[in-house]
Amino acid sequence: MGNIIKGHVTETHTATSQLDASFKATDDDNLVVISDYPCRGISEPMFRMGEKLKGLSQEASWWKVCSLQTGTENYIPKNHVAKVYHGWLFEGVGRQKAEELLYLPGNTVGSFLIRESPNQRGVYSLSVRHRAIKHYKIFRLDNSWYYISPRLTFQCLEDMVNHYSDSSDGICCILSAPCLAFNSTAPSSVSQAPPVVMRRNFTWRKVNHSQLVNSDNQSTADSRHSMVSYGVRSSIAAYLSIAEEKDRKSRRKKKGWTVYGMPDNSNMERENTD
């Protein structure tokens, strides 16, 4: 909750570096691409605007990064990325670039970011997507508390975000989610299950074994759309061939059987007594 104060408050833009450093120290090197690299006019981009990256190391004016979406590792110039803290505090992002990021797919009404001025450390603004992108200057008091409206102050930026996530309280709408929050954050390590393909039912006993084995002149496409693999088809065909041979032998044996009828002794006895 914010602290409600009365009267005029002196505006100050002096940053307290120690507080800013402690506020950011809890985050690893999380980055977001703010400009396609390479530019589309040069070649197909390796990293696209809005893509989330993990910073691996810094070398002069370059970052060695790993894409959290694709797993790709490579180098990207520092001016093509912005550091992101707590998922919503973007370092060194200007007004225009904030609008471009908030208009990316996946962001909706209430998507937001707090951006630190690229020209002055410790100076922040809140950018919110509504019918249009709205920008709010965040001021700081002498005691380092923050506010958008002088009647409501916050000890830290996180308190401000929490408050406006519960109530719009003078801004355009409630903060719903950080900018790019719905982008995939990591390549999946578990492969997805293959799609289920429904095939018509059939009876194995009605299948001719010659249909299970590809002939020499059978097309590759026909082989590809067979119900089972070549090895399995060969095994089944061999089994059915043996079964058919046994069935033929069994039928031949049955045809050679002679059925003898036993005389009815009771009838013979009645004939002898008559």
Side-chain angles (χ1 to χ4, degrees), residues 112-131:
F112 74 98
L113 61 87
I114 291 181
R115 51 188 174 85
E116 184 178 36
S117 170
N119 302 319
Q120 191 173 357
R121 304 283 294 183
V123 176
Y124 302 101
S125 298
L126 170 66
S127 298
V128 186
R129 179 168 175 173
H130 195 231
R131 295 184 181 89

mmCIF file of all heavy atoms in Angstrom, residues 112-131:
data_model
loop_
_atom_site.group_PDB
_atom_site.id
_atom_site.type_symbol
_atom_site.label_atom_id
_atom_site.label_comp_id
_atom_site.label_asym_id
_atom_site.label_seq_id
_atom_site.Cartn_x
_atom_site.Cartn_y
_atom_site.Cartn_z
ATOM 1 N N PHE A 112 2.473 -4.044 -19.050
ATOM 2 C CA PHE A 112 3.207 -2.848 -18.628
ATOM 3 C C PHE A 112 4.688 -3.128 -18.500
ATOM 4 O O PHE A 112 5.143 -4.287 -18.478
ATOM 5 C CB PHE A 112 2.671 -2.362 -17.271
ATOM 6 C CG PHE A 112 3.101 -3.241 -16.118
ATOM 7 C CD1 PHE A 112 4.193 -2.903 -15.328
ATOM 8 C CD2 PHE A 112 2.418 -4.416 -15.839
ATOM 9 C CE1 PHE A 112 4.601 -3.720 -14.278
ATOM 10 C CE2 PHE A 112 2.827 -5.239 -14.784
ATOM 11 C CZ PHE A 112 3.912 -4.890 -14.007
ATOM 12 N N LEU A 113 5.440 -2.063 -18.402
ATOM 13 C CA LEU A 113 6.843 -2.136 -18.019
ATOM 14 C C LEU A 113 7.210 -0.820 -17.352
ATOM 15 O O LEU A 113 6.594 0.214 -17.607
ATOM 16 C CB LEU A 113 7.749 -2.414 -19.230
ATOM 17 C CG LEU A 113 7.764 -1.397 -20.382
ATOM 18 C CD1 LEU A 113 8.780 -0.282 -20.144
ATOM 19 C CD2 LEU A 113 8.079 -2.118 -21.697
ATOM 20 N N ILE A 114 8.155 -0.886 -16.451
ATOM 21 C CA ILE A 114 8.775 0.317 -15.895
ATOM 22 C C ILE A 114 10.133 0.416 -16.558
ATOM 23 O O ILE A 114 10.900 -0.544 -16.581
ATOM 24 C CB ILE A 114 8.889 0.253 -14.370
ATOM 25 C CG1 ILE A 114 7.487 0.346 -13.738
ATOM 26 C CG2 ILE A 114 9.770 1.384 -13.838
ATOM 27 C CD1 ILE A 114 7.485 0.318 -12.216
ATOM 28 N N ARG A 115 10.423 1.560 -17.122
ATOM 29 C CA ARG A 115 11.667 1.732 -17.873
ATOM 30 C C ARG A 115 12.538 2.793 -17.221
ATOM 31 O O ARG A 115 12.059 3.827 -16.770
ATOM 32 C CB ARG A 115 11.355 2.118 -19.321
ATOM 33 C CG ARG A 115 10.396 3.283 -19.478
ATOM 34 C CD ARG A 115 9.972 3.480 -20.934
ATOM 35 N NE ARG A 115 8.934 4.504 -21.065
ATOM 36 C CZ ARG A 115 9.166 5.797 -21.165
ATOM 37 N NH1 ARG A 115 10.416 6.254 -21.157
ATOM 38 N NH2 ARG A 115 8.174 6.654 -21.277
ATOM 39 N N GLU A 116 13.809 2.461 -17.167
ATOM 40 C CA GLU A 116 14.790 3.421 -16.671
ATOM 41 C C GLU A 116 15.306 4.222 -17.846
ATOM 42 O O GLU A 116 15.639 3.671 -18.900
ATOM 43 C CB GLU A 116 15.935 2.710 -15.971
ATOM 44 C CG GLU A 116 16.947 3.657 -15.341
ATOM 45 C CD GLU A 116 18.054 2.916 -14.615
ATOM 46 O OE1 GLU A 116 18.454 1.838 -15.103
ATOM 47 O OE2 GLU A 116 18.514 3.401 -13.573
ATOM 48 N N SER A 117 15.397 5.523 -17.685
ATOM 49 C CA SER A 117 15.820 6.404 -18.766
ATOM 50 C C SER A 117 17.196 5.998 -19.288
ATOM 51 O O SER A 117 18.114 5.714 -18.505
ATOM 52 C CB SER A 117 15.876 7.852 -18.275
ATOM 53 O OG SER A 117 16.500 8.677 -19.246
ATOM 54 N N PRO A 118 17.346 5.921 -20.621
ATOM 55 C CA PRO A 118 18.668 5.601 -21.171
ATOM 56 C C PRO A 118 19.671 6.733 -20.981
ATOM 57 O O PRO A 118 20.884 6.520 -21.129
ATOM 58 C CB PRO A 118 18.378 5.361 -22.660
ATOM 59 C CG PRO A 118 17.123 6.104 -22.934
ATOM 60 C CD PRO A 118 16.327 6.093 -21.672
ATOM 61 N N ASN A 119 19.185 7.922 -20.641
ATOM 62 C CA ASN A 119 20.066 9.089 -20.508
ATOM 63 C C ASN A 119 20.377 9.463 -19.067
ATOM 64 O O ASN A 119 21.342 10.183 -18.820
ATOM 65 C CB ASN A 119 19.430 10.296 -21.207
ATOM 66 C CG ASN A 119 19.156 10.038 -22.683
ATOM 67 O OD1 ASN A 119 19.985 9.431 -23.369
ATOM 68 N ND2 ASN A 119 17.995 10.463 -23.160
ATOM 69 N N GLN A 120 19.559 8.982 -18.120
ATOM 70 C CA GLN A 120 19.764 9.378 -16.724
ATOM 71 C C GLN A 120 19.431 8.208 -15.805
ATOM 72 O O GLN A 120 18.294 7.735 -15.768
ATOM 73 C CB GLN A 120 18.884 10.586 -16.376
ATOM 74 C CG GLN A 120 19.234 11.233 -15.038
ATOM 75 C CD GLN A 120 18.455 12.525 -14.822
ATOM 76 O OE1 GLN A 120 17.692 12.968 -15.692
ATOM 77 N NE2 GLN A 120 18.651 13.148 -13.677
ATOM 78 N N ARG A 121 20.423 7.738 -15.074
ATOM 79 C CA ARG A 121 20.228 6.616 -14.170
ATOM 80 C C ARG A 121 19.292 7.007 -13.028
ATOM 81 O O ARG A 121 19.326 8.122 -12.521
ATOM 82 C CB ARG A 121 21.569 6.186 -13.581
ATOM 83 C CG ARG A 121 22.629 5.822 -14.609
ATOM 84 C CD ARG A 121 22.415 4.451 -15.208
ATOM 85 N NE ARG A 121 22.596 3.404 -14.207
ATOM 86 C CZ ARG A 121 22.518 2.109 -14.461
ATOM 87 N NH1 ARG A 121 22.229 1.710 -15.690
ATOM 88 N NH2 ARG A 121 22.713 1.224 -13.513
ATOM 89 N N GLY A 122 18.420 6.036 -12.662
ATOM 90 C CA GLY A 122 17.539 6.258 -11.524
ATOM 91 C C GLY A 122 16.297 7.060 -11.838
ATOM 92 O O GLY A 122 15.526 7.373 -10.935
ATOM 93 N N VAL A 123 16.064 7.394 -13.097
ATOM 94 C CA VAL A 123 14.855 8.124 -13.502
ATOM 95 C C VAL A 123 13.954 7.128 -14.231
ATOM 96 O O VAL A 123 14.355 6.539 -15.236
ATOM 97 C CB VAL A 123 15.194 9.322 -14.406
ATOM 98 C CG1 VAL A 123 13.919 10.000 -14.890
ATOM 99 C CG2 VAL A 123 16.081 10.306 -13.650
ATOM 100 N N TYR A 124 12.730 6.954 -13.725
ATOM 101 C CA TYR A 124 11.859 5.894 -14.213
ATOM 102 C C TYR A 124 10.543 6.449 -14.754
ATOM 103 O O TYR A 124 10.078 7.517 -14.362
ATOM 104 C CB TYR A 124 11.543 4.902 -13.085
ATOM 105 C CG TYR A 124 12.775 4.265 -12.471
ATOM 106 C CD1 TYR A 124 13.280 4.729 -11.258
ATOM 107 C CD2 TYR A 124 13.420 3.209 -13.106
ATOM 108 C CE1 TYR A 124 14.395 4.148 -10.682
ATOM 109 C CE2 TYR A 124 14.541 2.627 -12.539
ATOM 110 C CZ TYR A 124 15.026 3.092 -11.336
ATOM 111 O OH TYR A 124 16.135 2.530 -10.776
ATOM 112 N N SER A 125 9.927 5.647 -15.636
ATOM 113 C CA SER A 125 8.590 5.928 -16.150
ATOM 114 C C SER A 125 7.835 4.608 -16.239
ATOM 115 O O SER A 125 8.433 3.544 -16.469
ATOM 116 C CB SER A 125 8.642 6.586 -17.530
ATOM 117 O OG SER A 125 9.299 7.831 -17.475
ATOM 118 N N LEU A 126 6.514 4.686 -16.068
ATOM 119 C CA LEU A 126 5.644 3.534 -16.215
ATOM 120 C C LEU A 126 4.951 3.620 -17.568
ATOM 121 O O LEU A 126 4.331 4.638 -17.888
ATOM 122 C CB LEU A 126 4.595 3.507 -15.087
ATOM 123 C CG LEU A 126 3.467 2.483 -15.231
ATOM 124 C CD1 LEU A 126 4.003 1.052 -15.133
ATOM 125 C CD2 LEU A 126 2.387 2.722 -14.162
ATOM 126 N N SER A 127 5.041 2.565 -18.363
ATOM 127 C CA SER A 127 4.368 2.500 -19.668
ATOM 128 C C SER A 127 3.357 1.367 -19.622
ATOM 129 O O SER A 127 3.697 0.227 -19.253
ATOM 130 C CB SER A 127 5.373 2.262 -20.798
ATOM 131 O OG SER A 127 6.303 3.329 -20.873
ATOM 132 N N VAL A 128 2.100 1.675 -19.990
ATOM 133 C CA VAL A 128 1.003 0.715 -19.890
ATOM 134 C C VAL A 128 0.267 0.643 -21.221
ATOM 135 O O VAL A 128 -0.029 1.669 -21.839
ATOM 136 C CB VAL A 128 0.008 1.125 -18.776
ATOM 137 C CG1 VAL A 128 -1.046 0.037 -18.577
ATOM 138 C CG2 VAL A 128 0.727 1.425 -17.475
ATOM 139 N N ARG A 129 -0.042 -0.570 -21.636
ATOM 140 C CA ARG A 129 -0.838 -0.737 -22.858
ATOM 141 C C ARG A 129 -2.321 -0.652 -22.516
ATOM 142 O O ARG A 129 -2.833 -1.388 -21.674
ATOM 143 C CB ARG A 129 -0.533 -2.079 -23.521
ATOM 144 C CG ARG A 129 -1.361 -2.306 -24.785
ATOM 145 C CD ARG A 129 -0.856 -3.475 -25.579
ATOM 146 N NE ARG A 129 -1.720 -3.770 -26.723
ATOM 147 C CZ ARG A 129 -1.451 -4.660 -27.667
ATOM 148 N NH1 ARG A 129 -0.302 -5.336 -27.630
ATOM 149 N NH2 ARG A 129 -2.289 -4.877 -28.648
ATOM 150 N N HIS A 130 -3.025 0.274 -23.155
ATOM 151 C CA HIS A 130 -4.468 0.414 -22.993
ATOM 152 C C HIS A 130 -5.043 0.516 -24.402
ATOM 153 O O HIS A 130 -4.658 -0.282 -25.272
ATOM 154 C CB HIS A 130 -4.782 1.643 -22.133
ATOM 155 C CG HIS A 130 -6.183 1.670 -21.621
ATOM 156 N ND1 HIS A 130 -7.009 2.763 -21.758
ATOM 157 C CD2 HIS A 130 -6.906 0.729 -20.967
ATOM 158 C CE1 HIS A 130 -8.184 2.500 -21.206
ATOM 159 N NE2 HIS A 130 -8.157 1.269 -20.721
ATOM 160 N N ARG A 131 -5.961 1.402 -24.680
ATOM 161 C CA ARG A 131 -6.373 1.638 -26.061
ATOM 162 C C ARG A 131 -5.192 2.169 -26.873
ATOM 163 O O ARG A 131 -5.070 1.920 -28.058
ATOM 164 C CB ARG A 131 -7.543 2.620 -26.094
ATOM 165 C CG ARG A 131 -8.822 2.087 -25.445
ATOM 166 C CD ARG A 131 -9.968 3.062 -25.586
ATOM 167 N NE ARG A 131 -11.170 2.564 -24.942
ATOM 168 C CZ ARG A 131 -11.482 2.785 -23.678
ATOM 169 N NH1 ARG A 131 -10.667 3.518 -22.914
ATOM 170 N NH2 ARG A 131 -12.585 2.299 -23.153
#
